[in-house]
Amino acid sequence: SDLLNGGAPVRTMLADKNKSTFNLKRAHHERIYTINDVMRCLGQGEKQKTVFATKMNARSSRSHCIFSLYLKQAKPSYPTLESTYHLVDLAGSERQRKAQAVGQRFEEMKEINKSLAALERCFMNLSDSRSTHIP
């Protein structure tokens, strides 16, 4: 879900392996001008994240979060400079025996661990030049 857009769903992820880029359809985009704008957006997203205490971590992220910055600097008589930064906060992988998760927390833990394994497969395929499919 989109933490900067009231939790609205973001369903489609497009990957361009040749350019090593991705884009989230329907994700919130906001034009920023100062570092204060960046910090405000980060703070807004942080407030929306789902976190719970576990036996292993007092403030455990229960979801993955990506904050992307697309920077463009344009000055007269100079070439335009563009950069992209992706700040990623992944929910932590936990072992049931150590976390002592039960009920809903146990189900969350299973889904988090499953999604981390899927993400690992994505990275493995992105880094393999012979790969023709990104899961």
Side-chain angles (χ1 to χ4, degrees), residues 59-73:
R59 189 167 154 62
S60 179
S61 290
R62 309 316 295 160
S63 59
H64 308 309
C65 178
I66 301 172
F67 186 82
S68 299
L69 293 170
Y70 305 97
L71 304 176
K72 185 175 184 178
Q73 180 181 8

Side-chain angles (χ1 to χ4, degrees), residues 26-41:
R26 293 186 282 187
H28 175 79
H29 291 83
E30 184 168 330
R31 191 172 290 254
I32 58 173
Y33 298 96
T34 68
I35 190 65
N36 289 337
D37 293 339
V38 173
M39 297 308 291
R40 179 183 46 76
C41 287

Side-chain angles (χ1 to χ4, degrees), residues 49-54 60-64 91-96 99 101-116:
K49 268 189 352 185
T50 302
V51 295
F52 287 104
T54 69
S60 179
S61 290
R62 309 316 295 160
S63 59
H64 308 309
S93 174
E94 296 177 348
R95 301 284 179 240
Q96 197 281 332
V102 294
Q104 181 181 350
R105 297 293 164 259
F106 178 69
E107 294 303 317
E108 285 174 356
M109 184 186 65
K110 289 192 319 189
E111 292 301 315
I112 288 169
N113 290 344
K114 187 167 47 171
S115 69
L116 288 170

